[in-house]
């Protein structure tokens, strides 16, 4: 027979699954009568767990938000999902304070796991390998991340203190549309209302964010991830490269993704067949050019270099080296 404490914890687990649980349902699941259910609810309330009574025909009990996090009841699959999620999150550029909290949270869960499940989890973690290196990018501040996320959700203008890559500091107002994680970095994309232009900012360079009065309406059909990739491809760098490449967009994107290059089609969108090969204008901005010749060679599509001449010289030099190597016995 289950002890009262065990039933109280089972009641907490049922309430944490969400929604309103009727008295009849709880009594049936716990194997007790309604009076005992009310006594168990009283035990939870005494522990400062915010259980609300809902009146009416479909009333019952539900778990309400409280001033502190109540004990969480996790089954085997949920505990495994949380711990593996924390392990993967540390490699995705989580904010520094969140990463520390993630380590302590994982340790707490690991300590209370049944030995059987703990051994299974350790086996998974010991056998798990990642093909990508851990993210080494600077992580955003948790306070700024949460403030901007709240502004995105409620469409509130936000004042940010930003430091650009040259170390210049500024304060500016942003209408934030979304937060995007890309290759270990976190970005916020939106519009600067003072200049009326779309902007993308690295979250780790934002020292402070504060919501302002008022609201804004984001553009229809907004895709924050696409905006960030387009902004990265058009960012100001030392070299501005213009190419014409013959192929399909899919073929070009295999080596020049949206975060690296912008692709323009001379054919109207309604007339364009995405599977038909044709000439595309491709623009790339880069600090260095030495990586582009191997990329163009691996693309294996006809191309024309419009600018700069320096890239043309590098491609010719690579072709000469490849030819010389191929002719060696």
């Amino acid at each position: 027979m289950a002890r009262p404490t065990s039933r109280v914890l089972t009641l907490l687990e049922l309430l944490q699954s969400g929604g309103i649980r009727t008295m009849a349902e709880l009594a049936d699941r716990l194997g007790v009568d309604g009076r005992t259910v009310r006594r168990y609810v009283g035990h939870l309330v005494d522990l400062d767990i915010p259980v609300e009574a809902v009146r009416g025909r479909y009333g019952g009990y539900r778990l309400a938000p409280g001033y502190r996090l109540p004990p969480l009841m996790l089954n085997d699959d949920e505990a495994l999902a949380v711990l593996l999620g924390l392990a993967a999150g540390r490699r995705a550029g989580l904010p520094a304070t969140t990463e520390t909290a993630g380590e302590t949270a994982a340790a707490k869960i690991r300590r209370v796991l049944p030995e059987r499940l703990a051994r299974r989890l350790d086996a998974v973690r010991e056998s798990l390998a990642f093909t990508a290196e851990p993210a080494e990018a600077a992580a955003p501040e948790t306070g700024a991340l949460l403030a901007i996320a709240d502004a995105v959700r409620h469409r509130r203008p936000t004042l940010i203190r930003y430091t650009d890559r040259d170390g210049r500091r500024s304060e500016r107002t942003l209408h934030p549309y979304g937060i995007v994680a890309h290759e270990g970095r976190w970005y916020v994309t939106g519009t600067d209302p003072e200049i009326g232009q779309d902007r993308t900012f690295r979250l780790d360079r934002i020292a402070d964010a504060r919501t302002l009065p008022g609201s804004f309406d984001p553009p229809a059909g907004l895709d924050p991830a696409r905006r960030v990739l387009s902004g990265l491809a058009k960012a100001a760098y030392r070299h501005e490269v213009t190419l014409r490449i013959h192929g399909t967009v899919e073929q070009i994107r295999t080596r020049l993704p949206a975060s690296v290059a912008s692709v323009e089609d001379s054919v109207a969108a309604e007339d364009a067949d995405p599977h038909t090969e044709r000439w595309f204008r491709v623009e790339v901005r880069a600090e260095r050019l030495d990586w582009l010749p191997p990329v163009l060679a691996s693309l294996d599509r006809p191309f024309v270099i419009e600018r700069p001449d320096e890239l043309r010289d590098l491609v010719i030099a690579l072709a000469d080296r490849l030819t010389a190597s191929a002719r060696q016995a």
Side-chain angles (χ1 to χ4, degrees):
M1 177 180 295
R3 293 178 298 175
T5 301
S6 175
R7 290 199 181 104
V8 171
L9 293 177
T10 302
L11 172 62
L12 176 59
E13 182 177 7
L14 291 171
L15 294 175
Q16 285 181 337
S17 63
I20 299 174
R21 300 291 177 175
T22 66
M23 176 70 76
E25 177 188 3
L26 293 174
D28 179 65
R29 296 289 296 273
L30 296 173
V32 298
D33 56 25
R35 182 178 178 181
T36 304
V37 171
R38 285 191 289 270
R39 187 170 72 250
Y40 290 166
V41 169
H43 292 330
L44 294 178
V45 173
D46 290 342
L47 294 172
D48 290 331
I49 296 174
V51 181
E52 289 183 342
V54 181
R55 298 185 181 275
R57 179 180 178 184
Y58 300 103
Y61 293 99
R62 67 184 175 190
L63 199 62
Y67 68 91
R68 65 182 177 84
L69 186 68
L72 291 177
M73 307 294 293
L74 302 176
N75 61 32
D76 290 3
D77 290 341
E78 290 169 340
L80 183 62
V82 170
L83 291 174
L84 292 181
L86 290 171
R90 286 196 293 270
R91 305 177 65 90
L94 287 176
T97 54
T98 304
E99 183 177 354
T100 302
E103 292 176 353
T104 58
K108 289 179 180 179
I109 296 175
R110 174 63 180 81
R111 281 197 297 269
V112 298
L113 286 178
E115 186 61 28
R116 169 189 55 81
L117 181 58
R119 288 197 302 268
R120 293 176 60 193
L121 175 64
D122 289 341
V124 173
R125 295 175 64 180
E126 291 171 4
S127 61
L128 183 63
F130 294 87
T131 57
E133 294 296 324
E136 297 180 357
E141 293 187 2
T142 302
L145 174 63
L146 296 178
I148 292 175
D150 185 70
V152 170
R153 181 176 186 180
H154 295 98
R155 302 178 179 179
R156 297 282 300 277
T158 306
L159 181 68
I160 62 173
R161 289 196 291 116
Y162 189 73
T163 303
D164 65 18
R165 63 181 179 182
D166 295 323
R168 293 188 296 266
R169 298 180 180 179
S170 63
E171 282 194 353
R172 59 189 75 196
T173 301
L174 179 69
H175 290 175
Y177 297 152
I179 296 173
V180 178
H182 173 65
E183 294 186 352
R185 295 193 187 277
W186 293 58
Y187 300 87
V188 56
T189 182
T191 293
D192 185 331
E194 296 182 2
I195 60 176
Q197 293 181 358
D198 292 341
R199 300 298 304 272
T200 294
F201 299 100
R202 275 176 44 180
L203 274 174
D204 61 282
R205 291 177 176 168
I206 296 177
D208 184 49
R210 177 167 53 89
T211 55
L212 300 174
S215 62
F216 63 87
D217 292 322
L222 178 68
D223 186 342
R226 182 173 296 178
R227 278 176 172 261
V228 168
L229 294 177
S230 176
L232 293 175
K234 296 178 180 178
Y237 287 99
R238 179 181 176 185
H239 299 283
E240 295 185 2
V241 178
T242 304
L243 307 163
R244 285 186 291 118
I245 301 177
H246 190 271
T248 66
V249 174
E250 183 179 1
Q251 290 170 337
I252 295 172
R253 287 300 187 205
T254 59
R255 293 294 184 270
L256 295 169
S259 60
V260 172
S262 59
V263 178
E264 297 180 6
D265 192 353
S266 59
V267 179
E270 59 273 14
D271 300 327
D273 181 352
H275 304 294
T276 301
E277 296 182 359
R278 55 187 178 275
W279 286 98
F280 290 89
R281 182 183 178 86
V282 179
E283 294 186 353
V284 180
R285 288 172 170 81
E287 284 297 310
R288 297 163 46 201
L289 295 175
D290 54 353
W291 61 273
L292 260 174
V295 169
L296 294 174
S298 65
L299 190 59
D300 195 24
R301 303 301 309 168
F303 66 88
V304 175
I305 299 173
E306 294 187 352
R307 65 171 179 169
D309 291 338
E310 182 182 351
L311 176 59
R312 186 177 291 105
D313 295 337
L314 291 174
V315 171
I316 293 173
L318 175 62
D320 290 342
R321 292 196 301 271
L322 293 175
T323 301
S325 297
R327 288 176 175 172
Q328 288 183 0

